[in-house]
Amino acid sequence: MNRFVQPVPPPADPYADDTLLRSWLERHLGPAGHAAAKGRLADLAADVSGPLRAAHADAEAHPPTLVRYDPWGARIDRIDTSAGWQAQRAAAARHAVVALPYLPDARGTWGAAARVVQHALLHLYGPESATFSCPVAMADGAAALLSMPDVDAVVRDAWLPRLIATDPATAITSGQWMTESQGGSDLGRSSTVGRPAADGSWRLTGQKWFCSAADAAMAVAVARPDGAGRGSRVLAPFLVPRYAADSPLADGAAADAPAPGVTVHRLKDKLGTRALPTAEIGLHDAYALPLGDPAVPGLVRAMTLVVVTRVHNAAAAAGGMRRGLAYAQAYADVRHVAGGALASSPLHRATLGTLAVDAAGAFALAGHAFALLGRVEVGADPAAAAELRIVAPLAKLATGRLAVGSASEYVESFGGAGYVEDTGVPRLLRDAQVLPIWEGTTNVLALDVLRALTREDAGAPLLSRLAAAVDLARPLSPALADTLAVATAQLRDTIAAVTADAGAEAVVAGARGLALRLSYALTTALLVEHAAWGDEQAELAARLWARRWLRHEEIAEDAHHHLDLLC
C-alpha cells in the first residue's frame, strides 16, 4: 500500500495575484506611475517565487555562527553567514529595496510616492527574506539619518552612497546599537560614553545588549557625550564602522577584521529570526563619527532612524500576513477533509476570510505610513509630518499585534504539519512574535502615542482624517459611516479628556487601549478612502473591518461568502 503524501503547492505570484496591492499602486501612483513600477515589481516577484524562496530556506537551515579566534589564537570575532543570507543581501541591493526612495531617477518618476513603490517592494521581499528585511530597515533608517542637513558632508559622502548602492559588490547595510541591558527601552539609563578625539572623530565605550544585523558594515549607536548630563534627550547618534577596512585605527589589520575596540561577546539564541545575526557587542574606545553636533541634544535626530524602522516593521507585519494567507489558501485548495476540499468548508472559508480582512487593514495602515514618510522627505509637507508623528507608532503597534494573531491562525490552518519545523510553517509564528517587540513594545509605543497627543496635538490630523472618511463612507454604506462617526466622536471625547490630565493614573493605564482604538479607526478610514476611489475589495474590507474591530461583531458568515473577493 502506498503511503499518502500531501502535495503542497507554492502560493500564487505575490504581485500579479495581490489585487489590493495593485489597486493601491494604481491609486497612489496613477496609471502611468504604476506602469513605470510594474517591471521592477514583477522582477522581484519572480525572484521571490524562485531563487529567493530557496535562499530563504537555506538561511533558515544554516543560522549564523560566531568564530571568536583564528587557528593561532588571535581574536577575530567573525560572524559567518550562509549562502542564502548572502543571496538575500545581494537581492536587496539589486532590487533597490533600500535605495529606491533616494535615487534621483525614482524621485523624478514618482516624487514623494517613491516611498509607496518602496513599500510595495518590501511587501513582496520581506516575508521570504529570512528577515534580511531587518538590516534593510536599519540601512534605510541610517540613510535617512545621514541625509539630514546637519550631518557632516564628508561623513555623508563617505557612507550614504554605500547604503543606497544597487550593486551588490559595493552595497552595505547598517546595524542599530541602542539598547543596553540595564535600560532596554529606557534610553535614559544608557551608559555608553562618547569622548571627542583631536581629529573630529569620537571614541565610544560601553556595552550594547541587542545589536541586530551584527554583520553589517556599520552601525548607528547612541552614546552620552562626555559631560552631557543625565537623561535621554542629550544622547547623540554616532556612526561606528564595524570592520577594520573602515577604521583609521586598524593599523594594518585585515580588512574583514573587526574594527579596533569592537568586540562581539556572543550571538543571541532567539525564539525566531534565527537567520539574522543579533549580538551583544562591547565598545572600548571604538572609532565613531558623530551624526550631527553632539553638543546639541541628539535623541530627536536619532528618532529619524527610529521612525523609518518603525514603518518598516509595519510593512514586515503586513507583508507576512499577506504571504501567510497565500500559503494557507494554497494548502486549503489541495487538502481534502471529511470528503471534500478544505477550501470549500464554510468554517475554514470564514477563518481565511477573517484573516484576509485583517491583512487588508494591516496593508492599508503600513502603506499609509510610507506615503506620509515620502511626503515628509520630498516636499517637507508639514501636514504629513504632523500626521506621521502619530501614525508611525500606531501602524507599528497595531500591525505587530495583528501579525502575531494571524500567524497563530496560519500555523493552525495546516494542522499537525504546521507544528513540524521542516515544513517551514512554524517560522511564521516564531518570526512574527518579534514584530510587537522590535522598535518599541506595544506599551512603549502606546505611551509614545500618549505623548504625541498631549504634547504635540497629534490627534488633530487624525480626527480630521476620520471625519472626512465619514463623509466618504456615507454613499458606500450608511451603516459603515455611522459606525465610523460614532467611533470618531468617542475618540474626540477621549482625546480631550486625556489631554486635560495626561498624568492621571487612569489615562496612563488606558494608553494601550486608546492607541489600539485609534489605529482601528484610522484603518477603517484608510480602507474607506481606497473604497471611495473605486476599489470593491477595499469597500468590503472596510465594512467587515469596522464591524470586527470597531463594533466587535462576528463577521464569519460574510467572510465565508465573500472570501474570493477579499483575497
Side-chain angles (χ1 to χ4, degrees), residues 145-153 156 290-293 296 300-301:
L145 184 53
L146 279 161
S147 298
M148 295 182 68
D150 55 349
V151 171
D152 187 286
R156 179 188 304 114
L291 297 175
D293 185 354
V296 177
V300 67
R301 291 197 301 280

Side-chain angles (χ1 to χ4, degrees), residues 175-191:
Q176 184 174 314
W177 301 351
M178 293 193 179
T179 58
E180 300 178 7
S181 58
Q182 77 281 2
S185 62
D186 183 5
L187 293 180
R189 299 177 65 191
S190 295
S191 60

Side-chain angles (χ1 to χ4, degrees), residues 348-366:
H348 197 67
R349 287 176 60 84
T351 301
L352 293 180
T354 301
L355 290 166
V357 170
D358 287 354
F363 173 80
L365 195 50

Side-chain angles (χ1 to χ4, degrees), residues 447-519:
L447 293 175
D448 188 40
V449 169
L450 199 60
R451 285 191 295 272
L453 290 172
T454 56
R455 299 178 187 177
E456 301 169 56
D457 194 26
L462 206 60
L463 291 171
S464 177
R465 182 172 295 277
L466 296 180
V470 171
D471 293 334
L472 290 175
R474 191 71 61 189
L476 301 173
S477 165
L480 172 60
D482 290 344
T483 297
L484 186 54
V486 169
T488 302
Q490 291 173 341
L491 286 170
R492 183 178 290 109
D493 292 344
T494 302
I495 290 172
V498 162
T499 54
D501 191 3
E505 184 177 275
V507 169
V508 176
R512 175 194 283 231
L514 174 58
L516 289 170
R517 288 168 56 205
L518 287 167
S519 65

Side-chain angles (χ1 to χ4, degrees), residues 205-223:
T205 298
Q207 302 295 324
K208 295 298 184 179
W209 185 78
F210 206 93
C211 305
S212 287
D215 61 332
M218 58 163 280
V220 175
V222 293

Side-chain angles (χ1 to χ4, degrees), residues 483-566:
T483 297
L484 186 54
V486 169
T488 302
Q490 291 173 341
L491 286 170
R492 183 178 290 109
D493 292 344
T494 302
I495 290 172
V498 162
T499 54
D501 191 3
E505 184 177 275
V507 169
V508 176
R512 175 194 283 231
L514 174 58
L516 289 170
R517 288 168 56 205
L518 287 167
S519 65
Y520 298 153
L522 172 60
T523 302
T524 308
L526 297 173
L527 290 170
V528 165
E529 290 173 4
H530 197 50
W533 171 79
D535 188 278
E536 185 181 4
Q537 181 183 7
E539 180 180 343
L540 176 60
R543 289 194 286 107
L544 295 182
W545 175 277
R547 287 176 53 198
R548 174 164 163 74
W549 292 109
L550 299 185
R551 293 167 58 179
H552 306 290
E553 294 179 356
E554 179 59 69
I555 63 169
E557 184 178 1
D558 280 340
H560 152 52
H561 285 303
H562 299 291
L563 175 63
D564 294 339
L565 177 57
L566 287 167

Side-chain angles (χ1 to χ4, degrees), residues 55-80:
H56 169 87
D58 178 73
E60 289 289 332
H62 303 94
T65 57
L66 172 61
V67 180
R68 288 191 174 89
Y69 300 95
D70 75 4
W72 301 99
R75 186 73 182 256
I76 57 174
D77 285 358
R78 187 183 73 234
I79 297 174
D80 289 339

Side-chain angles (χ1 to χ4, degrees), residues 10-14 42-58 87-88 94 128 323 327:
D13 182 291
D43 287 347
L44 177 54
D47 259 9
V48 165
S49 299
L52 290 185
R53 189 163 287 156
H56 169 87
D58 178 73
Q88 294 288 353
R94 192 171 60 251
E128 285 166 298
R323 194 66 51 80
Y327 271 102

